[in-house]
Amino acid sequence: MKGQTEAGSKTVVLCVPLRADDLDTIRLTLYGVAVRIGLSYEAIEDLKVAVTEACNYAILQAGDKEPLPILCLTFTLEETELKIRIGTDSPDITFGEALRPVKLPQEGAKALERLEDSPIGLYLLQALVDELRVEPGGESEGAPEAMVLIKRLAAG
């Protein structure tokens, strides 16, 4: 983990192997950053769920790949918002599906059981943050993309 200060913002970077065992480390880092900037308990819990969903999405895509891709989270603290960039070093892991609208079945509650392959976790993610976008990883062809979650700070 490393940190740096830029004009008007502070940045914390955490890189871990892309595996479920490291989600606790990610959530603890998120908690520390969020408390430091004064987010409410509810906002912190929303972010923990959203970040976990985004990381799980990448973990599921990685499967049993060897060597394990590296997951990097960049927390950028600005005066009015917390921006969390989640990316990997693997061009095979994409986040574009996160921007696709989720269509729930109209047949009723029983139809919800068939949503196993649906991005319902990503739908939840969209509801928990103020802004969600996917950014290209770089200028080179095949560079891995990243998901960016933004939570705005409450005026107070």
Side-chain angles (χ1 to χ4, degrees):
M1 186 164 52
K2 60 184 176 179
Q4 63 189 35
T5 302
E6 295 179 12
S9 68
K10 295 180 182 176
T11 301
V12 175
V13 179
L14 173 68
C15 295
V16 295
L18 185 56
R19 60 179 180 219
D21 294 349
D22 289 304
L23 287 174
D24 286 339
T25 303
I26 292 166
R27 284 190 291 260
L28 284 170
T29 303
L30 169 62
Y31 179 79
V33 168
V35 165
R36 183 167 182 182
I37 63 171
L39 285 177
S40 69
Y41 175 78
E42 292 82 12
I44 293 171
E45 291 303 309
D46 286 351
L47 275 175
K48 283 169 50 177
V49 171
V51 168
T52 300
E53 285 298 328
C55 292
N56 278 334
Y57 186 69
I59 289 167
L60 290 173
Q61 287 186 65
D64 295 330
K65 245 181 219 187
E66 288 294 331
L68 276 176
I70 299 297
L71 179 69
C72 285
L73 289 91
T74 303
F75 302 88
T76 304
L77 298 73
E78 297 179 358
E79 285 185 34
T80 60
E81 65 188 22
L82 171 60
K83 181 166 59 170
I84 305 166
R85 186 176 195 279
I86 302 167
T88 71
D89 63 350
S90 172
D92 297 331
I93 297 173
T94 62
F95 294 99
E97 185 75 12
L99 300 180
R100 184 175 67 85
V102 175
K103 294 182 180 176
L104 297 176
Q106 296 180 359
E107 297 91 40
K110 291 194 179 223
L112 290 176
E113 296 170 4
R114 296 193 315 263
L115 287 175
E116 294 171 7
D117 297 328
S118 167
I120 196 74
L122 294 175
Y123 178 71
L124 176 65
L125 191 153
Q126 292 171 353
L128 294 173
V129 297
D130 296 314
E131 188 178 335
L132 172 66
R133 66 178 180 253
V134 174
E135 295 181 345
E139 295 179 15
S140 65
E141 189 173 322
E145 60 188 24
M147 182 180 293
V148 178
L149 314 175
I150 296 176
K151 188 72 168 181
R152 292 184 180 76
L153 307 179

